[in-house]
């Protein structure tokens, strides 16, 4: 089976976009067809100003939600990144393989660095180097496929470049992975700004449906979703992005096609009501299962411990080989 690695960063509460765009495919497809590892990549949450208690809380919540959406520990490996030291061991070797220019060209570094400066904050070195840690996350496991959104494709390309360069310089050590992109609802957009992705770390949550929102919150956010000038319900991503976003969410929840669904509606209000109902029903079992897991913290802890043990067993031989290949003495 191919090996898959993917992760969620605990910088905010997980959203409907995370679920429809990635997590549902992990559950329905990836954990069954591949040797799949899913990690809460908590070290990546430290690249910006953060509250330590919040990072711990969101890390546990993210791990619980990975299980609540349907990942099965007997089928896949669920763990926390910082529990497996091979990630940081390998990251330094890859820093010695990457170049300053490569990292400064990363789009997210430019964008997030600008945001930090605008807020009067210093830009942490880890913001520049975290794509190398992401490469270590992937390469440590001999990963074949990395399911990512379009905004992370550049980082996977860097990972490929680093793997090839290391292999050429020091001998074949790493599998060169490829990025894979989920098709349906790969990019769920913000309900208040349908030209921007529904991101979990946005300051305003008005256009974001979180996985743990209660039904009233979901309905309120959907009913207040920004639509477009005019009254016709038509699927047009360029001309009517707000309506198109609602139709895509409805299609992802019900299994229909956005263009075909549009023909069933004569008003925005009716469309919003059906979208709200569909989202509530999709999220209901996730919320219920999360409540059960939150009441049984020992189970989640045990899953994460066993997951870290297996991840460590998989990663250590390859990272040890990389240490030897680059010229370091065995410990």
């Amino acid at each position: 089976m191919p090996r898959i690695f993917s992760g969620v960063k605990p910088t905010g509460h997980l959203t409907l976009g995370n679920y429809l765009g990635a997590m549902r495919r992990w559950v329905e497809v990836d954990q069954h067809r591949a040797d799949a590892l899913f990690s809460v990549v908590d070290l990546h949450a430290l690249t910006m100003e953060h509250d330590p208690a919040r990072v711990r809380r969101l890390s546990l919540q993210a791990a619980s939600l990975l299980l609540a959406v349907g990942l099965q520990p007997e089928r896949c490996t669920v763990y926390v990144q910082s529990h497996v030291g091979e990630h940081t061991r390998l990251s330094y070797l890859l820093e010695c393989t990457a170049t300053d220019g490569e990292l400064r060209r990363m789009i997210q570094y430019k964008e997030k660095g600008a945001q930090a400066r605008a807020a009067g904050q210093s830009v942490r070195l880890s913001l520049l180097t975290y794509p190398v840690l992401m490469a270590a996350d992937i390469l440590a496991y001999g990963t074949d496929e990395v399911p990512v959104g379009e905004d992370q494709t550049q980082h996977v390309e860097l990972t490929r470049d680093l793997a090839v360069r290391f292999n050429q310089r020091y001998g074949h050590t790493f599998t060169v992975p490829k990025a894979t992109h989920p098709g349906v609802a790969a990019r769920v957009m913000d309900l208040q700004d349908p030209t921007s992705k529904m991101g979990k770390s946005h300051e305003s949550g008005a256009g974001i449906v979180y996985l743990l929102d209660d039904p009233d919150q979901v309905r309120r956010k959907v009913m207040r979703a920004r639509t477009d000038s005019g009254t016709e319900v038509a699927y047009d991503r360029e001309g009517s992005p707000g309506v198109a976003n609602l139709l895509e969410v409805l299609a992802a929840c019900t299994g229909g096609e956005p263009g075909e669904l549009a023909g069933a509606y004569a008003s925005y209000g009716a469309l919003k009501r059906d979208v709200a109902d569909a989202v509530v029903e999709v999220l209901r079992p996730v919320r219920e299962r999360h409540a059960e897991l939150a009441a049984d913290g020992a189970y989640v802890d045990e899953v994460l411990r066993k997951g870290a043990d297996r991840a460590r067993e998989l990663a250590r031989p390859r990272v040890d080989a990389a240490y030897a290949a680059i010229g370091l003495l065995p410990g």
Side-chain angles (χ1 to χ4, degrees), residues 72-154:
Q72 302 170 34
E74 62 273 17
R75 291 185 176 275
C76 63
T77 304
V78 179
Y79 71 104
V80 175
Q81 176 194 32
S82 63
H83 293 175
V84 181
E86 278 62 32
H87 289 254
T88 49
R89 285 182 64 209
L90 181 56
S91 182
Y92 182 73
L93 299 195
L94 296 179
E95 284 185 14
C96 296
T97 308
T99 67
D100 176 76
E102 284 177 314
L103 298 182
R104 293 190 185 279
R105 286 194 295 270
M106 294 290 110
I107 295 170
Q108 290 207 13
Y109 171 69
K110 294 178 180 179
E111 293 178 349
K112 292 185 177 181
Q115 291 171 6
R117 294 185 191 97
Q121 301 171 355
S122 58
V123 179
R124 299 183 179 190
L125 179 61
S126 56
L127 184 63
L128 177 66
T129 60
Y130 96 86
V132 179
L133 176 58
M134 180 175 171
D137 298 339
I138 296 165
L139 296 179
Y141 298 103
T143 301
D144 299 295
E145 300 177 18
V146 189
V148 291
E150 294 291 342
D151 58 334
Q152 292 291 337
T153 299
Q154 188 183 36

Side-chain angles (χ1 to χ4, degrees), residues 225-280:
R226 177 181 166 188
T227 47
D228 311 287
S229 58
T231 58
E232 182 183 5
V233 178
Y235 183 59
D236 180 359
R237 293 204 74 170
E238 297 298 323
S240 302
V243 172
N245 187 38
L246 290 171
L247 288 167
E248 288 181 349
V249 170
L250 182 61
C253 290
T254 62
E257 292 293 331
E260 296 177 4
L261 291 170
Y265 295 97
S267 70
Y268 293 160
L271 171 62
K272 287 181 176 181
R273 284 191 291 274
D274 280 1
V275 172
D277 288 343
V279 172
V280 166

Side-chain angles (χ1 to χ4, degrees), residues 303-316:
V303 168
L304 296 179
R305 185 188 63 77
K306 289 182 177 178
D309 287 345
R310 179 170 190 269
R312 203 175 296 114
E313 289 174 3
L314 291 173
R316 183 165 293 166

